[in-house]
Amino acid sequence: MREVFHLPDDLTEEPNCLNSECPSAEASQKIQPSIGATSDLQDVEDDIFTNKNESESVDGDIDDEIDSSLKGKKKIDSSARTAWAVLIRWLKDGIFRGWDSWHRSSLLGSAGDIVHQDNVAPKRPGCANNFVLVKVPTWIEGVEDNEYVGVGARFGPTLESKEKHANHTRLALADPPDCCRKPRNKLTGEVILVHRGNCSFTVKTNVAEEAGASAILIINNQTELFKMVCESDADVNIKIPAVMLPQDAGSRLEKYISNNTMVSVALYSPKRPAIDIAEVFLWLMAVGTILCASYWSAWTAREVAIEQDKLLKDASEEFLQVGASGSSGFVDINTTSAVLFVVIASCFLVMLYKLMSFWFVEVLVVLFCIGGVEGLQTCLVAFLACFRWFRRFAESFIKVPFFGAVSHLTLAVCPFCIAFTVLWAVYRRISFAWIGQDILGIALIITVLQIVRVPNLKVGTVLLGCAFLYDIFWVFVSKWWFHESVMIVVARGDKSGEDGIPMLLKIPRMFDPWGGYSVIGFGDIILPGLVVAFSLRYDWLAKKNLRAGYFVWAMTAYGVGLLVTYVALNLMDGHGQPALLYIVPFTLGTFITLGKKRGDLETLWTRGEPERPCPHMQLQSLQQKE
């Protein structure tokens, strides 16, 4: 999923002044939670904002609160968590929104646009810019320092999009600080740093331009940012850019200048690429995971079938016992459990939403680690057992208290798996921790798809149908009751102090100047994967080749559905999209249509496997003929 920042369109006006009366045109547009948007983990994006009391308003412009947390303290350059780490926190207060894609463990994420095309705030010639995020790198005495994030105004010229074309310009303090009248200090092309309040944004900018400033940085009176718009009678023939900074960032710069330290800045607003190669790798990861899990599941099913045929052919009385033991390692779900899964998942989602906090996310991390250890050791043991050097260790067992018979190979691999998982949990906040999370996540998904099985197409249809409705409800419909998308809030880990829950695969956006991750939730892989794995098991048991079987079609349908999700995500300006909204119709629709056309639908729907003649009965028939 990649993340996206978007400003809600639902604005309310209220007087906006600090310590003097505002002109009648001065009002503050504050962003309120929008009730009809959303995401998947929100796919993020949509409403997750909290209403803030904005009685402390500022200058007379109509300004829109954008966000809190653009605190500007982190240097946005070192890793994929940079700008996102800052931006994601905006989401917590609800002003810029983002979408991260998890999907209940099911959702698709992608980084969205940092441009907000607002059709509500007033527009007119000279006052029609989109609200864009602006990078403000700083240099202290010629040495590169922190990079802050601000927001551009509705008025003034547009900013340069490439850092190399942005000029390094000295920063000067306004005197008086509010810049509501001509500064006492002489300006010769510097960027002027001013305080918000006492007059409108357009007045400040016009005064700064007349004084010789090349740009104006307006320090907000709180950590949120606001949309700087134009009042109806404002002079908008403005030739210098205006950018708002959060309070803490501006205060820090002001302190440097007050101590006679030379501060230089550059202003630019890089564009986010429509498609990042991270999405390609994420697509390959999802498809590849289902592909591996399906072949493992089908191979195991075929081995069991061959063993059963052998026992039947030998007329062995031990067949029932062996059959029971052979099936004990798998869990076949039925229609009732498929429906219950969605009900329980919904209850758990609401619990996460209500109880979301730092300690609760830590509990989820522990549960993920437990599942990751089990998944990693299961996959490693199965892989190593394919080599003859390890086979005898995989086939020799020792009895372990509480665990029963455990192979020597498992005992040898387990410490490594535990150590790997613990290292990830301890260092999960570093820039490359996503690699460990993806390894554990893929191993866990493959293990689940190997153990849990859909016995027939009927159960698969009920499961995916319920998951389809589940996604739509908790991403879109839940806003009507909770005033925000429940799935998006949970997926992002709001109020938890974390960057989101761990039940997702993610890759850093490699060519995005704003950083971030493309992510996909476990649910978007596991649930469709159950049906895709079922199709390959059926093909192998029916002895169908790839062309005559169903697996290639089901696998292709899943890949196309996931691809369409990414396309929809980009076409809809980064608004979160539930991946199952597209994947389920493609996967199920293809499977059912093809089965009906080939005349196999009844068998696929009820039995789930082709009828296999009993070898023992075949042998008796041949003997009678002789």
Side-chain angles (χ1 to χ4, degrees), residues 304 308 320-332 451 453:
V304 170
Q308 288 178 352
L320 291 177
Q321 296 179 358
V322 175
S325 63
S327 63
S328 63
F330 312 115
V331 177
D332 283 338
I451 296 173
R453 298 186 174 185

Side-chain angles (χ1 to χ4, degrees), residues 405-449:
V406 178
S407 71
H408 289 90
L409 185 57
T410 299
L411 287 177
V413 167
C414 203
F416 166 77
C417 298
I418 293 174
F420 182 89
T421 306
V422 170
L423 282 174
W424 171 82
V426 173
Y427 296 103
R428 68 183 184 277
R429 292 180 181 86
I430 63 178
S431 60
F432 53 86
W434 62 272
I435 299 174
Q437 181 172 328
D438 287 351
I439 291 173
L440 294 173
I442 289 173
L444 178 57
I445 291 171
I446 290 176
T447 301
V448 170
L449 291 177

